[in-house]
Amino acid sequence: MTPRISLTPPRTLVNRVGAWYSRRTYGKVLDPGLAIGHNRKTLLSYVKLERSAAKWNALDPALKQLAVMVTAARINCSWCMDFGQWESNGLGLPMDKVAKVPQWHDHTDAFTELECQVMAYAEAMTETEPTVTDELAATLLEQLGEAAFVELTLMVALENLRSRTNSAFGLTSQGFSDACAVPLRA
C-alpha cells in the first residue's frame, strides 16, 4: 500500500530536528512523523503529547505494552504492530508471548488473569462504540489502583489515536522487526 500522504514534508527546521532525533533514537525517521510533519502545529503538539506520555509510570510497562499492542491489533495497524514488536523486544517481553497478542483470546493460558483483563479493557475501549463494562472497570481499578487505571485508559486512547491516524494515512510496516513475528488480526 502506498501512503496516502507524502512522506516528504517541507524541510523546515522543526522537521529537520525531528528527523535527526528520530534517526538518533530509533535508527530511522518514523513515517508517522514525516506524515504529520506537513503541519507544524500538529507535529509540535503530537511530539509534546508523546514525550509526556513516555514519562507516565503508574502502570507496569509490560501491561502498558500489552494494552498498546492489542489496541493496534484490533485496529489492524501494521505500522503500529511492527513498531510495537520492536518496543516489546526493548522491554524484554518474551516474543513468543507478544506474538500471541493479536489472538490472545485463543491463548489465555499464555497470559495472567490481569493481563487478560487489561487486554479485554483495551479492546472494549477500542470498539467504535466502546463496550467497557462497569465490572471490568471495577476489577481493574481494584487490581491496578486509580493512578494506573487512568494511565491504562489514556494509553489505550493514545494508541487509538496513533493506530487510526497511521491507518488513515495508509502507513504500513516500516521494518522495525526484521520479520514481524506478530501477525495482524485475521
Side-chain angles (χ1 to χ4, degrees), residues 121-181:
Y121 183 76
E123 280 186 345
M125 271 190 69
T126 302
E127 292 299 319
T128 299
E129 184 175 326
T131 58
V132 175
T133 64
D134 292 342
E135 294 79 19
L136 180 56
T139 299
L140 286 169
L141 269 165
E142 182 180 317
Q143 292 187 45
L144 298 175
E146 291 176 338
F149 178 76
V150 168
E151 188 171 315
L152 170 62
T153 302
L154 291 177
M155 281 308 303
V156 173
L158 178 56
E159 185 55 34
N160 266 273
L161 169 68
R162 292 173 185 145
S163 291
R164 291 176 189 279
T165 299
N166 292 342
S167 292
F169 285 156
L171 303 181
T172 57
S173 177
Q174 198 173 337
F176 277 93
S177 52
D178 293 333
C180 191

Side-chain angles (χ1 to χ4, degrees), residues 13 16 19 34 40 44-45 49 51 106 115 162 165 175 183:
L13 178 61
R16 290 193 318 267
L34 293 172
R40 181 181 170 277
L44 292 173
S45 295
L49 172 62
R51 291 182 55 86
D106 299 332
E115 289 170 339
R162 292 173 185 145
T165 299

